[in-house]
Amino acid sequence: MAVALLDLAGSTLPDRAKALAATAIGPVQRAVAAVDRGDTATLAGQNAVLRTQLAQAQVRLAQDAAAGRLLQSPSAAGGHLLSARVVGSSTTVTGGQQVTLDVGRYDGVEPNLTVVSADGLVGRVVAVGPWSSDVRLLGGTDATVAVRVGAGGYLGTVGSTTPPDAPERPRGDLTLALVDRSTVTVGDRVTTLGSVGGRPYVPGIVIGTVTSLDPPRGGITGTAVVRPAVEAARLDVVAVVLTPASPTTSPPTASAASSPATGTLP
């Protein structure tokens, strides 16, 4: 009977059977496809979460490594430090750069404190809010630092202004004005001389390295080019020097670094 009906409808048996099968199985296939799509979406979401967690873990590891480097660096030698992270950056009206830290007045930060990284001098605190602070980096026209140069500790100043008739500096490089040009050679390390009371700059922090000497221009003092030790564009973990090191203070150890009461790096 079923075959006769199929013939009267003008269809062959195989084609009609396929149509009936499709009618019966189609809803099941759509349901399975929906489940597959749901599983795929779920897995994609889980993968996205895992990728985010991995990226966050990698950032934390990098920050921990940076904090460890800072703790073991000369910048941390004996000072009472407050670790911080760079959370913003901007350009000043003088053409310099400044960054915002995630620590502020409630953490003990005050204006004119030195800020360092594992590589050397970052800058000085210029403004403080309850939970954040702004740091002026080296490189602005208003950022001149008294320094010592080389093993002999010869005196000079470092700033961003290029002297007249001196060769153009590479972007980011600084100018060293020397008290006695003959005492300085390429490769000499430049460190902070230190301010009275350690504000705004504590002594002995690396600023950079002399990369070239400017040609003599008939002046009493000579000038040179200094490549900064700190790369501003890559700043992340830094430390505010709350109290300068005393002559009898030893550098903090890794065990001391975990104690917030000491004020060293957490």
Side-chain angles (χ1 to χ4, degrees):
M1 174 64 77
V3 174
L5 290 173
L6 289 172
D7 288 340
L8 289 173
S11 300
T12 62
L13 177 58
D15 291 340
R16 189 60 176 173
K18 289 179 182 178
L20 290 173
T23 301
I25 297 175
V28 177
Q29 290 176 325
R30 286 195 296 272
V32 171
V35 172
D36 288 342
R37 287 194 298 270
D39 289 344
T40 301
T42 300
L43 290 174
Q46 291 174 344
N47 285 336
V49 171
L50 290 174
R51 284 194 296 269
T52 300
Q53 291 175 340
L54 176 60
Q56 292 172 341
Q58 291 172 333
V59 169
R60 286 194 296 269
L61 287 174
Q63 291 170 352
D64 289 345
R69 287 181 58 235
L70 177 53
L71 181 63
Q72 299 301 324
S73 72
S75 299
H80 184 177
L81 306 180
L82 174 68
S83 64
R85 286 192 59 231
V86 174
V87 293
S89 64
S90 60
T91 301
T92 69
V93 293
T94 59
Q97 290 180 285
Q98 70 181 31
V99 295
T100 300
L101 307 184
D102 63 351
V103 293
R105 185 166 55 249
Y106 293 148
D107 301 294
V109 180
E110 301 175 356
N112 284 326
L113 293 181
T114 307
V115 179
V116 299
S117 74
D119 297 317
L121 181 67
V122 173
R124 60 187 176 90
V125 177
V126 293
V128 181
W131 300 109
S132 64
S133 52
D134 293 331
V135 176
R136 187 71 48 82
L137 307 183
L138 296 180
T141 56
D142 58 348
T144 301
V145 186
V147 300
R148 291 189 181 276
V149 186
Y154 301 108
L155 299 178
T157 59
V158 165
S160 64
T161 303
T162 301
D165 302 324
E168 189 70 22
R169 274 83 168 103
R171 181 178 178 84
D173 282 6
L174 304 172
T175 295
L176 168 66
L178 307 164
V179 172
D180 183 353
R181 179 186 177 84
S182 64
T183 59
V184 176
T185 59
V186 171
D188 279 348
R189 190 172 69 166
V190 181
T191 61
T192 54
L193 173 64
S195 309
V196 176
R199 297 190 181 196
Y201 300 112
V202 298
I205 304 299
V206 175
I207 291 178
T209 304
V210 176
T211 57
S212 65
L213 304 179
D214 292 329
R217 298 185 304 280
I220 299 176
T221 62
T223 57
V225 180
V226 174
R227 176 66 49 79
V230 173
E231 188 175 350
R234 301 184 63 182
L235 282 173
D236 186 9
V237 177
V238 299
V240 181
V241 183
L242 299 180
T243 304
S246 66
T248 58
T249 302
S250 59
T253 62
S255 59
S258 62
S259 173
T262 64
T264 54
L265 289 174

